[in-house]
Amino acid sequence: MDGNGRWAEARGLPRVFGHRAGVEALRQAVQNAGDLGIEWLTVYAFSSENWSRPPAEVSDLMGLLKLFIRRDLADLHRNGVRIHIVGERKTLSPDIAALLEDAEVLTAGNRAMNLVIAFNYGSRNEITRAVRSLAMALAQGRLSAAQIDEDLLGSFLDTAHMPDPDLVIRTSGEMRLSNFLMWQAAYSEFVFLPVLWPDFSRVHLEEAIASFAGRERRFGGRPAREAVS
């Protein structure tokens, strides 16, 4: 979800106004995804690199996270949305960590839709933490080197028991992953949109899905028509 700051600056507004508009776009995106029958939606809310932003902007973002969960959690729960959090939690302040955990616990039984919030998340950090846990299991004798394969390593990631993303959408015209789900997105399809995130609408979501639906996914193999010829 990229482009909040640029959206505000283009209007002569402080960046926090862009982040507020981005939260409203997020609300609409979750609703639209649910309406379209999407079972899993992952949003990159705050990266582990975002801490390098000016302290005032980070503080604003933390405040918006609290506001989103406190204001929207009841509606999400009522609509059957289950919340999952991925990202490093040990370094979060106790109030933020507790808020995220409470959201997961409250919605744990919901089945209508899964909303994955990547918060304090970085793919390299996630993989490093997974390898560290795997190394500890090896050192303790709970695993052998012969047991290590892609599935085992994947089980140590934050996204264990979650499906890999079929489609990754990035707004604002940037054309890179920016440390987002690099392991999981190995065979994802990508759509890069020039629209800034606060302007992201149902039309954009539907267009991205239509683009995805028209593609032939190979997962490293040949197209089906070639494989049978």
Side-chain angles (χ1 to χ4, degrees):
M1 303 182 292
D2 197 21
N4 293 342
R6 279 169 280 176
W7 183 92
E9 290 168 356
R11 289 159 176 77
L13 299 170
R15 290 175 63 88
V16 67
F17 284 86
H19 294 310
R20 291 174 184 171
V23 170
E24 182 55 36
L26 172 58
R27 291 190 183 102
Q28 295 301 316
V30 173
Q31 180 177 332
N32 292 333
D35 291 344
L36 294 170
I38 295 172
E39 297 180 2
W40 288 84
L41 175 68
T42 301
V43 295
Y44 203 0
F46 191 86
S47 80
S48 52
E49 289 82 16
N50 286 157
W51 295 108
S52 63
R53 295 187 177 189
E57 183 173 357
V58 171
S59 179
D60 288 335
L61 288 167
M62 294 302 106
L64 287 171
L65 170 72
K66 294 177 183 178
L67 181 62
F68 174 76
I69 291 181
R70 289 169 179 164
R71 175 177 167 180
D72 293 81
L73 183 58
D75 285 339
L76 293 170
H77 182 43
R78 185 164 46 250
N79 291 324
V81 176
R82 181 177 181 180
I83 295 177
H84 310 260
I85 309 297
V86 295
E88 175 65 73
R89 301 200 197 189
K90 291 182 179 179
T91 57
L92 294 176
S93 63
D95 60 330
I96 293 291
L99 198 64
L100 297 176
E101 183 176 358
D102 289 346
E104 285 186 309
V105 171
L106 176 65
T107 63
N110 294 341
R111 295 294 180 267
M113 179 183 173
N114 294 275
L115 174 61
V116 185
I117 301 176
F119 187 84
N120 194 26
Y121 176 85
S123 189
R124 288 182 174 181
N125 173 272
E126 176 193 28
I127 294 170
T128 299
R129 287 186 285 109
V131 171
R132 187 181 300 125
S133 297
L134 185 58
M136 186 176 297
L138 284 169
Q140 294 172 347
R142 293 185 284 115
L143 289 174
S144 68
Q147 291 176 275
I148 300 175
D149 58 16
E150 292 181 8
D151 290 337
L152 181 63
L153 179 55
S155 71
F156 282 86
L157 297 173
D158 296 347
T159 55
H161 312 303
M162 299 181 193
D164 289 340
D166 294 305
L167 171 64
V168 176
I169 304 170
R170 178 159 187 171
T171 58
S172 86
E174 302 292 351
M175 303 181 75
R176 56 180 180 270
L177 266 177
S178 293
N179 207 14
F180 177 66
L181 298 181
M182 294 189 296
W183 174 281
Q184 299 85 342
Y187 286 103
S188 300
E189 296 293 323
F190 291 81
V191 170
F192 299 100
L193 299 174
V195 64
L196 300 176
W197 173 249
D199 293 325
F200 184 82
S201 67
R202 180 172 181 138
V203 171
H204 298 113
L205 179 59
E206 290 176 340
E207 289 177 347
I209 293 172
S211 175
F212 166 80
R215 302 181 187 183
E216 185 172 34
R217 305 185 73 193
R218 304 181 186 181
F219 300 97
R222 292 183 298 165
R225 60 178 177 272
E226 294 182 8
V228 299
S229 62

